[in-house]
Amino acid sequence: MEFVNPEGLRLDGRRPMEMRQLRAEIGVVSKADGSAVFEMGNTKVIAAVYGPREVQNRSQQSNDQALVRCEYSMANFSTGDRMRKPKGDRRSTEISMVIRQTMEACILTHLMPRSQIDIFVQVLQADGGTRSACINAATLALADAGIPMTDIVTSCSAGFLNGTPLLDLNYVEDSAGGPDVTVGILPKLDKVTLLQMDSKLQMETFETVMQLATEGCKAVASYIREVLLENTKQLESRRGV
Amino acid sequence: MRGLQLSLDKGQKLRFERAFEVLESLSSKANSDASVIVADDISVNNEDAILKGHGTAEMNDRLVATLCGVVERVNKLVYVRPLRARYKPEIGDIIIGRVIEVAPKRWKLEINFSQDAVLMLSSMNLPDGIQRRRTAVDELNMRSIFEENGVICAEVRGFQHDGCLHLQARSQKYGKLKRGQLLTIPPYLVKKRKQHFHHLDQYGIDLILGCNGFVWVGEHVDVRDDMVEDLSDKSEKQKVKSWNTLGDEEVEAYTPPDTRQNICRSANAVRVLSTLGFTITVEIITEIVELSKSMDLEVHEMLGAEFYVIVAENEAERRSLPTKRR
């Protein structure tokens, strides 16, 4: 299958290095401490953060740091073919763990001892790159909940099809079976917190693909920062003196 | 906007936006670019010695924010005041909490903090008002004082060495709250003041603005010392009871409809203000209640789209006034 046509356009009309449209909204769940919706093109994810709150399971309580929990789920209507997936299947447990580890890396857990932070992410529309969209949504929700973090984590995926590195794969490109590199970075510190890849890639091409994904992360970061700053300013101006 | 699902028509939308523009322009004059988000640099003069406060961290010899909020500077101290965050207790704060557990010698309260607060049986006045050692009998009768899911007003006593947050209720004004509504609002909207207990005489209601973002609106109760209530009064009461159609308990448990309406009106005022994200003080609440009364609105109409717009416009007007006077 041809994923990049001779004019250099992808199936959805993007250039190889082009990202899908981003959209983020903060404060979508009124009862949660923090919440956000994040869209990357047709992928749409909602995240809600509860906490820091009292630990539910006493045996998990730790006296020097907060417990971070994460639950990932996919809405039944999120994919084209409506499938009833059992809760806690392998895929969602794996992604839950990935998101938890990525977020734990940036949360200053030692500031909130004897408490737990719950992150719930649900995919409302799946069109490739759900993993990165979930991480971006979770970051926004955590920042909205006022949880101290060293930096915001942003994530983006990249692939390699038809001999060209492609940024931000959609569902069709994702299911082509080519390599899919998901990168999560801390943009300020310039550190990688997440790196996953399906299938194989040559050493030299991997470098370029990863570089591309990192650039994507930085673009996402600048967008997220913009949204957060606007939200903070708005809250402050409404509050007044 | 958070928690605000209104169907505004075109005119209302325009007025809404205009009001918020006014608010924005007012605040931007007051503090320019003090808002920071996670991982933003905080500009400090490196030659001065500074103290890093909450919400800041040092990274590669630079001071960065770890929260979204507003940078505050007090002499050498630099900290970030978070906006949307859970409550952070300070000693002496007046708070409202909900009992979630009755444990040995203590009640556990949910107070919108990262842990549950503890109210010890020994750190509260007994209902009979006598100062004495708490016995095992008292411990068994704890449920007669506060039950699960009861709403309580108390004061922050401090952190114990094991890290638990302890409360105290050593006055008649603290204790169980009855006959009213509990509202939860983001704590950053409640300003710390000298007074958190308010008695709105004209409506016959009590208003307690808990520092933790829990607001209580209820029927006014006279704070009286139970010990003063003499026993001779009781016998008289019994006489009255015999020829009163309403039983004594029934009279006590009865709230007049007017008061009920006033409770709901004030509660709705708090709801409107908190969804719009405005600071909540007694003055503003009474102003909104009066506004709704003068407009002849029913209690439920206060949550309609039109009233939200009016409150926003009112707030914009109110805030623009004092600056002109200066």
Side-chain angles (χ1 to χ4, degrees):
Chain A
M1 199 172 157
E2 191 184 52
F3 289 97
V4 185
N5 69 9
E7 285 101 71
L9 291 173
R10 280 150 76 173
L11 291 170
D12 51 5
R14 282 184 289 158
R15 300 266 166 204
M17 310 271 182
E18 204 176 319
M19 267 182 57
R20 289 177 288 179
Q21 176 137 25
L22 301 176
R23 196 186 77 88
E25 199 183 327
I26 295 177
V28 286
V29 185
S30 56
K31 284 279 178 267
D33 286 297
S35 57
V37 159
F38 194 84
E39 282 176 45
M40 291 173 103
N42 286 330
T43 303
K44 187 172 185 173
V45 175
I46 188 166
V49 169
Y50 293 86
R53 60 179 178 189
E54 184 82 13
V55 182
Q56 281 163 352
N57 188 352
R58 285 281 161 80
S59 60
Q60 288 176 317
Q61 180 170 325
S62 97
N63 270 323
D64 52 348
Q65 59 177 1
L67 173 72
V68 181
R69 295 203 314 179
C70 180
E71 201 177 298
Y72 164 95
S73 61
M74 253 175 131
N76 281 330
F77 50 82
S78 62
T79 44
D81 43 341
R82 197 183 173 99
M83 272 196 296
R84 200 162 285 279
K85 292 187 210 77
K87 201 190 156 211
D89 59 326
R90 280 188 167 236
R91 196 183 114 86
S92 58
T93 4
E94 186 238 328
I95 299 187
S96 299
M97 199 193 67
V98 165
I99 298 170
R100 183 177 61 80
Q101 286 174 344
T102 325
M103 298 331 287
E104 228 173 10
C106 73
I107 299 173
L108 298 166
T109 48
H110 64 276
L111 294 177
M112 299 157 283
R114 286 179 296 278
S115 57
Q116 84 173 16
I117 298 164
D118 289 310
I119 307 167
F120 297 96
V121 277
Q122 184 164 40
V123 179
L124 300 178
Q125 273 185 147
D127 186 30
T130 53
R131 210 170 293 230
S132 6
C134 283
I135 290 170
N136 295 332
T139 311
L140 274 167
L142 282 169
D144 182 38
I147 290 168
M149 295 189 284
T150 46
D151 198 354
I152 51 169
V153 192
T154 54
S155 172
C156 191
S157 65
F160 191 75
L161 289 165
N162 294 149
T164 19
L166 303 174
L167 183 64
D168 194 12
L169 304 182
N170 66 17
Y171 181 71
V172 188
E173 292 162 338
D174 204 8
S175 47
D180 170 21
V181 185
T182 305
V183 181
I185 61 160
L186 298 170
K188 188 91 179 180
L189 301 163
D190 231 351
K191 277 182 183 162
V192 176
T193 55
L194 169 72
L195 181 58
Q196 283 191 320
M197 181 166 72
D198 305 339
S199 97
K200 284 186 257 180
L201 207 54
Q202 278 178 355
M203 211 44 198
E204 303 87 66
T205 41
F206 172 75
E207 297 251 321
T208 56
V209 172
M210 174 152 170
Q211 192 57 42
L212 187 65
T214 316
E215 290 302 317
C217 289
K218 283 180 180 157
V220 174
S222 68
Y223 177 72
I224 284 185
R225 300 188 76 88
E226 221 171 85
V227 172
L228 276 176
L229 189 62
E230 200 201 334
N231 181 59
T232 314
K233 276 189 175 159
Q234 196 186 37
L235 284 177
E236 176 62 12
S237 76
R238 297 247 172 103
R239 181 179 174 267
V241 260
Chain B
M1 202 188 311
R2 187 184 313 274
L4 187 59
Q5 265 113 34
L6 294 174
S7 45
L8 297 161
D9 62 37
K10 234 179 192 174
Q12 286 173 330
K13 215 173 225 169
L14 272 174
R15 283 159 61 204
F16 220 42
E17 277 163 16
R18 203 173 306 140
F20 283 130
E21 265 168 35
V22 172
L23 289 179
E24 219 158 279
S25 67
L26 282 172
S27 78
S28 61
K29 267 181 243 159
N31 52 344
S32 50
D33 301 328
S35 306
V36 285
I37 62 160
V38 175
D40 261 351
D41 280 328
I42 300 170
S43 58
V44 284
N45 198 345
N46 277 332
E47 278 147 45
D48 303 340
I50 53 141
L51 286 166
K52 290 181 293 171
H54 286 298
T56 60
E58 203 161 85
M59 203 186 286
N60 307 334
D61 298 328
R62 272 186 313 197
L63 199 64
V64 293
T66 60
L67 293 167
C68 297
V70 181
V71 181
E72 300 274 350
R73 289 159 208 267
V74 181
N75 298 332
K76 279 183 183 175
L77 177 70
V78 180
Y79 69 97
V80 178
R81 173 166 54 82
L83 291 166
R84 277 182 49 77
R86 287 221 160 192
Y87 168 64
K88 206 152 202 185
E90 278 164 46
I91 294 170
D93 278 356
I94 288 157
I95 56 157
I96 295 168
R98 197 183 272 284
V99 180
I100 51 164
E101 194 186 330
V102 181
K105 286 185 197 161
R106 71 195 70 199
W107 291 275
K108 290 244 170 123
L109 274 77
E110 153 66 30
I111 59 156
N112 194 27
F113 178 48
S114 63
Q115 310 158 33
D116 293 333
V118 171
L119 176 64
M120 295 293 286
L121 177 62
S122 57
S123 55
M124 69 164 301
N125 277 10
L126 291 175
D128 54 6
I130 306 164
Q131 292 284 344
R132 59 177 166 81
R133 238 185 107 92
R134 309 302 191 265
T135 57
V137 183
D138 288 326
E139 207 179 310
L140 287 172
N141 290 332
M142 276 174 68
R143 277 213 175 75
S144 67
I145 307 172
F146 302 136
E147 265 183 322
E148 278 96 348
N149 299 324
V151 182
I152 289 174
C153 178
E155 188 186 304
V156 176
R157 185 175 159 206
F159 285 98
Q160 230 56 1
H161 51 81
D162 59 344
C164 287
L165 180 71
H166 278 239
L167 305 177
Q168 62 184 4
R170 288 189 192 282
S171 158
Q172 286 295 326
K173 58 181 182 178
Y174 300 128
K176 193 168 180 173
L177 301 170
K178 282 182 278 189
R179 282 188 258 169
Q181 289 189 22
L182 177 72
L183 303 155
T184 46
I185 59 168
Y188 76 95
L189 296 176
V190 181
K191 250 190 147 172
K192 285 197 180 102
R193 285 184 150 195
K194 273 187 181 165
Q195 261 312 323
H196 282 270
F197 290 92
H198 303 285
H199 172 209
L200 306 179
D201 213 6
Q202 67 270 42
Y203 312 133
I205 60 168
D206 273 340
L207 182 73
I208 307 173
L209 301 170
C211 293
N212 58 340
F214 285 23
V215 175
W216 176 261
V217 194
E219 195 194 349
H220 176 65
V221 260
D222 278 314
V223 181
R224 55 155 192 263
D225 215 332
D226 283 334
M227 273 168 60
V228 182
E229 200 182 5
D230 45 318
L231 294 164
S232 61
D233 206 36
K234 259 184 192 167
S235 57
E236 212 168 283
K237 261 187 193 166
Q238 272 173 352
K239 266 184 227 162
V240 174
K241 202 178 174 181
S242 57
W243 43 267
N244 200 341
T245 45
L246 279 172
D248 200 26
E249 284 109 56
E250 272 178 70
V251 175
E252 286 229 323
Y254 184 70
T255 313
D258 277 358
T259 319
R260 292 183 194 213
Q261 283 219 329
N262 283 331
I263 291 174
C264 294
R265 222 173 254 279
S266 321
N268 277 354
V270 176
R271 285 195 185 102
V272 171
L273 286 167
S274 72
T275 28
L276 289 172
F278 296 150
T279 329
I280 284 165
T281 59
V282 215
E283 292 83 28
I284 298 173
I285 292 170
T286 40
E287 194 184 317
I288 300 301
V289 171
E290 284 306 316
L291 186 70
S292 78
K293 277 191 171 168
S294 69
M295 284 170 59
D296 241 3
L297 284 178
E298 290 286 316
V299 173
H300 70 273
E301 283 170 330
M302 288 177 75
L303 298 176
E306 179 63 20
F307 195 68
Y308 273 94
V309 179
I310 291 167
V311 170
E313 284 177 332
N314 182 55
E315 181 78 7
E317 202 180 309
R318 202 179 56 81
R319 281 194 206 165
S320 55
L321 274 176
T323 42
K324 274 177 199 160
R325 263 182 231 147
R326 258 173 232 163

